[in-house]
Amino acid sequence: MLSLQVQGLLWAVVAIASLLSFDKATYKALYSTPVRQTGVLACALVFAILWRIKAGILTGLDLHILGVTAATLILGWRLTILSSLLATALLAGFGQIEPELLPVQILIGAFIPIVLSYLAFIVSYHYLPRHFFVYIFVCAFITAGFIACIKIALGALFYLSIGQYNWQELADNYVYLSAIIWFPEAMLNGMAITIMITYRPHWVKTFYDKDYLDS
């Protein structure tokens, strides 16, 4: 069980991160663009479905597909954070997430993976060849696999730091499972981005035809 002090601190971080993600121009464009609104709601629904299908032994340490890397490439990090908040609210409303675990789910299961996914895209865009296959395999496939492992590591470190579980419990029942989950995560995100940039490239915010198709 998380103490009230820990929950309060986590909620404060969630609030600050949410405020930092707010951008007037982005939300103004969202308000005036129905297609973009549909994209945000669709990603929120996909998140809710993916996060609902989970398995786990230890409370608070569930194993599931994140899907945030593909969503971040499609929507950008700001709107993906909005989608993750909507998905979390939907799951909480249906009693799928314990109230005390909400800030942990938001931070470790959504916000941090989203920001890291976008940072990986930025690094790839500036330092790697801007090529169609680089975008798919580096920005989507490889990044998604790494993000899945990082999320598991962060969750384990968090619960270890507050003393809820010891390292042996975490290693045997959670950390080692990263060897299983990384490939499905990478494959799902890679396939989603491949389909999107093949059939609807104009829907993918971070995919620039002049950079990735003309190189």
Side-chain angles (χ1 to χ4, degrees), residues 49-153:
I49 294 172
L50 290 176
W51 299 350
R52 174 65 183 85
I53 305 172
K54 58 187 178 181
I57 299 173
L58 303 177
T59 301
L61 293 172
D62 295 316
L63 201 67
H64 59 78
I65 300 294
L66 296 174
V68 300
T69 299
T72 302
L73 293 174
I74 294 169
L75 296 176
W77 71 277
R78 297 181 189 276
L79 293 183
T80 306
I81 281 181
L82 174 60
S83 288
S84 71
L85 288 172
L86 293 175
T88 304
L90 181 62
L91 290 172
F94 282 94
Q96 299 300 317
I97 304 176
E98 296 179 30
E100 70 168 317
L101 297 179
L102 276 173
V104 181
Q105 164 64 31
I106 293 171
L107 282 176
I108 298 178
F111 281 13
I112 294 176
I114 289 168
V115 171
L116 291 178
S117 294
Y118 193 73
L119 287 175
F121 161 72
I122 293 296
V123 171
S124 172
Y125 184 80
H126 287 288
Y127 296 104
L128 295 179
R130 296 171 186 174
H131 191 275
F132 181 86
F133 292 106
V134 171
Y135 185 83
I136 292 174
F137 287 107
V138 176
C139 298
F141 185 89
I142 295 175
T143 295
F146 272 113
I147 292 299
C149 296
I150 290 172
K151 184 259 184 183
I152 288 175

Side-chain angles (χ1 to χ4, degrees), residues 31-48:
Y31 179 77
S32 60
T33 312
V35 172
R36 193 166 298 181
Q37 296 169 17
T38 302
V40 170
L41 294 176
C43 282
L45 182 59
V46 170
F47 283 160

